[in-house]
Amino acid sequence: MAGEIRIVGLDIGTTKVAAIIAEWDGSEKPKLIGIGTSPSEGLKRGVVINLEKTVESIASAVEDAEMVAGVKVDSVFAGIAGDHIRSINSRGVIAVSRSDREITSMDVDKVIEAAKTVALPMDREIIHVLPQEFTVDDQSGIKDPVGMVGVRLETEVHIVTGAVTAAQNIYRGVKKAGLEIEDLVLQPLASSYALLSPDEKELGVAVLDLGGGTTDFAIFFDGSIRHTGVVGMGGKNVTNDLAIGLRTPVDQAEEIKKVYGSAMTSLVDSDEMIEVPAVGGGEPKRISRNVLAAIIEPRMEEIFSLTRQEMKKSNYYDLLATGIVLTGGGSLMEGVVQLAEKIFDMPVRAGKPQGVDGLEENASSPIYATGIGLILYGAEQIREGKVSSHMKGKGWFHKMKNIFGQYL
Ligand SMILES: Nc1ncnc2c1ncn2[C@@H]1O[C@H](COP(=O)(O)OP(=O)(O)OP(=O)(O)O)[C@@H](O)[C@H]1O
Ligand SMILES: [Mg+2]
């Protein structure tokens, strides 16, 4: 399509790989044209442990999305997560370079570069350097200093790092599936693009992704990301608890959890009975839904309590004025919002991905928040001229220049 570029979000999750293709003409919202998913079997707690299986899942999800969209894709924005992810805040300071003291975008790049020089062990690499604010001489709290006048430029940034091997295995998996990576993006950061409003980010909010293998969060305040963290536990743990507690096969436990599960016993009527198939095909048992909730609740409580502990490691926990936005498959469970409100003692809402056109009912499930967020993150990067691979291609460069003439 003339004047449109394609953006692909590839969410390599612990339970599913989702590939989402969008077209964008540079206007406000990218338009979804295809979604493909495939069960993911090569990951554990957010990290690739079996490359072959991961490649198969990626290839299959992307093929499905291509079929729906009727186009072929060659590059993606991919997510990264796992309990190897760490984040720190860092500062950088430089002297403004021009003799008339006007701050240029080169000064901004330089000061961010300066903030990036933190001692990093050999086995870790930087995934994001996210500027929070700038200080020009003694004036702090500046979002964009370009064009201002000053002698000293300072910045505070949020640095996200990950294990080199974990990142490399994602690169390999995507490459082996025949695709290029435009950028590797922290999953909860990506999700935040699809779930949070600018107002929420300004006033203080956390996005909490209840995934299959991990529970990830990112805290925003004053418009910028302030703290990120991971708890290495998720929906799979809940399913395993049920399989053991009810003595039923794991795939049955998964189904029962999705249909009848509740995160709060107090919300379930104890008269409500369900049938549970036995391991090895014996006589099915009848149990009360209350029993189910009694198995789920303590695990969800544990996940939320550990998350709260992680969140409290930053000073921003007490500044979450608009509370917590839940996402990921786990947010679909009955009672999960109420339980989270109880444990975190603040307002909680279940988020639905937004910000793209062509969202049919199916695509607005929270399991697609990361994939859709990756597209929105990608659009922002392209708009700001920060992704290089597209720019290098001859045709692409001209196309981009036409669309984003004012930015390039
Ligand atoms: N209706 C539901 N009720 C409860 N749990 C659900 C429901 N639907 C999905 N889940 C759970 O959500 C999890 C999958 O969520 P999601 O697709 O967000 O994970 P993922 O992205 O594959 O994993 P991760 O982000 O941890 O790598 C599974 O554990 C699944 O059991
Ligand atoms: Mg996920």
Side-chain angles (χ1 to χ4, degrees):
M1 222 186 273
E4 304 228 350
I5 57 168
R6 226 158 264 153
I7 309 175
V8 185
L10 183 66
D11 173 17
I12 308 167
T14 305
T15 64
K16 54 99 195 23
V17 174
I20 308 185
I21 307 176
E23 267 175 348
W24 192 41
D25 61 5
S27 67
E28 208 184 326
K29 290 182 177 178
K31 183 170 183 292
L32 295 197
I33 56 167
I35 293 191
T37 55
S38 163
S40 168
E41 277 157 19
L43 274 82
K44 194 167 183 192
R45 280 192 267 129
V47 173
V48 176
I49 51 158
N50 182 324
L51 196 63
E52 279 316 305
K53 283 188 175 167
T54 306
V55 174
E56 277 170 31
S57 304
I58 294 173
S60 152
V62 171
E63 251 168 51
D64 284 0
E66 284 180 332
M67 200 116 89
V68 177
V71 299
K72 285 265 172 212
V73 298
D74 47 26
S75 64
V76 301
F77 287 86
I80 184 166
D83 50 14
H84 60 99
I85 300 284
R86 301 276 179 282
S87 73
I88 47 165
N89 290 323
S90 169
R91 300 177 77 88
V93 54
I94 59 154
V96 174
S97 56
R98 271 169 60 146
S99 54
D100 65 1
R101 311 238 161 109
E102 184 179 325
I103 297 166
T104 63
S105 57
M106 256 158 62
D107 290 319
V108 171
D109 290 346
K110 245 169 72 184
V111 76
I112 291 172
E113 202 57 39
K116 231 168 114 171
T117 45
V118 287
L120 218 56
M122 289 281 284
D123 58 351
R124 302 195 67 76
E125 68 177 53
I126 292 181
I127 295 164
H128 293 288
V129 179
L130 304 157
Q132 295 168 333
E133 60 175 47
F134 296 88
T135 302
V136 177
D137 297 339
D138 288 324
Q139 182 65 52
S140 62
I142 296 164
K143 290 282 166 217
D144 182 8
V146 173
M148 292 179 71
V149 174
V151 181
R152 229 169 83 99
L153 178 64
E154 233 178 297
T155 188
E156 265 174 54
V157 297
H158 186 70
I159 300 182
V160 178
T161 69
V164 170
T165 47
Q168 295 259 305
N169 282 329
I170 293 181
Y171 270 104
R172 285 218 181 144
V174 172
K175 189 124 209 156
K176 280 198 165 188
L179 299 155
E180 294 290 328
I181 290 193
E182 297 273 0
D183 209 348
L184 206 52
V185 188
L186 183 69
Q187 285 179 14
L189 175 66
S191 307
S192 74
Y193 279 75
L195 297 168
L196 305 181
S197 71
D199 276 356
E200 286 175 321
K201 287 192 207 175
E202 202 60 44
L203 295 167
V205 69
V207 55
L208 177 55
D209 181 347
L210 303 171
T214 59
T215 300
D216 309 68
F217 70 85
I219 291 180
F220 295 79
F221 183 73
D222 223 355
S224 310
I225 192 161
R226 302 288 163 168
H227 185 48
T228 48
V230 186
V231 170
M233 229 185 258
K236 280 194 166 186
N237 300 82
V238 178
T239 300
N240 287 340
D241 292 347
L242 286 174
I244 294 165
L246 304 175
R247 291 198 200 89
T248 192
V250 171
D251 52 344
Q252 299 284 352
E254 172 75 9
E255 272 319 295
I256 292 169
K257 176 183 84 170
K258 285 189 190 169
V259 182
Y260 302 106
S262 173
M264 268 207 151
T265 37
S266 58
L267 295 176
V268 180
D269 185 349
S270 54
D271 294 342
E272 224 182 306
M273 303 298 282
I274 58 163
E275 243 178 44
V276 178
V279 179
E283 276 290 294
K285 286 178 300 234
R286 274 170 66 79
I287 61 154
S288 147
R289 251 191 93 201
N290 216 276
V291 172
L292 202 63
I295 298 173
I296 297 170
E297 184 170 332
R299 176 66 82 173
M300 290 308 298
E301 239 177 50
E302 183 187 12
I303 291 176
F304 285 146
S305 300
L306 289 171
T307 304
R308 193 181 60 164
Q309 258 177 41
E310 282 300 313
M311 285 182 174
K312 281 198 159 176
K313 287 184 181 167
S314 84
N315 299 327
Y316 292 96
Y317 184 77
D318 297 324
L319 298 174
L320 298 175
T322 56
I324 295 177
V325 178
L326 298 182
T327 184
S331 69
L332 290 167
M333 189 182 286
E334 178 192 288
V336 81
V337 168
Q338 291 89 331
L339 183 70
E341 276 180 338
K342 188 178 123 194
I343 308 268
F344 292 101
D345 194 21
M346 59 174 85
V348 176
R349 71 172 173 93
K352 266 193 168 188
Q354 281 169 346
V356 292
D357 282 332
L359 260 180
E360 285 152 28
E361 191 45 43
N362 168 41
S364 62
S365 162
I367 69 166
Y368 297 124
T370 306
I372 290 170
L374 283 165
I375 288 171
L376 295 168
Y377 175 92
E380 184 183 275
Q381 295 291 299
I382 293 167
R383 187 190 290 130
E384 292 177 358
K386 285 184 188 153
V387 243
S388 52
S389 70
H390 269 169
M391 316 271 183
K392 283 180 203 139
K394 298 154 243 116
W396 271 107
F397 186 75
H398 290 294
K399 222 175 190 180
M400 302 279 299
K401 211 168 172 174
N402 288 339
I403 300 171
F404 305 109
Q406 70 269 40
Y407 299 105
L408 292 174

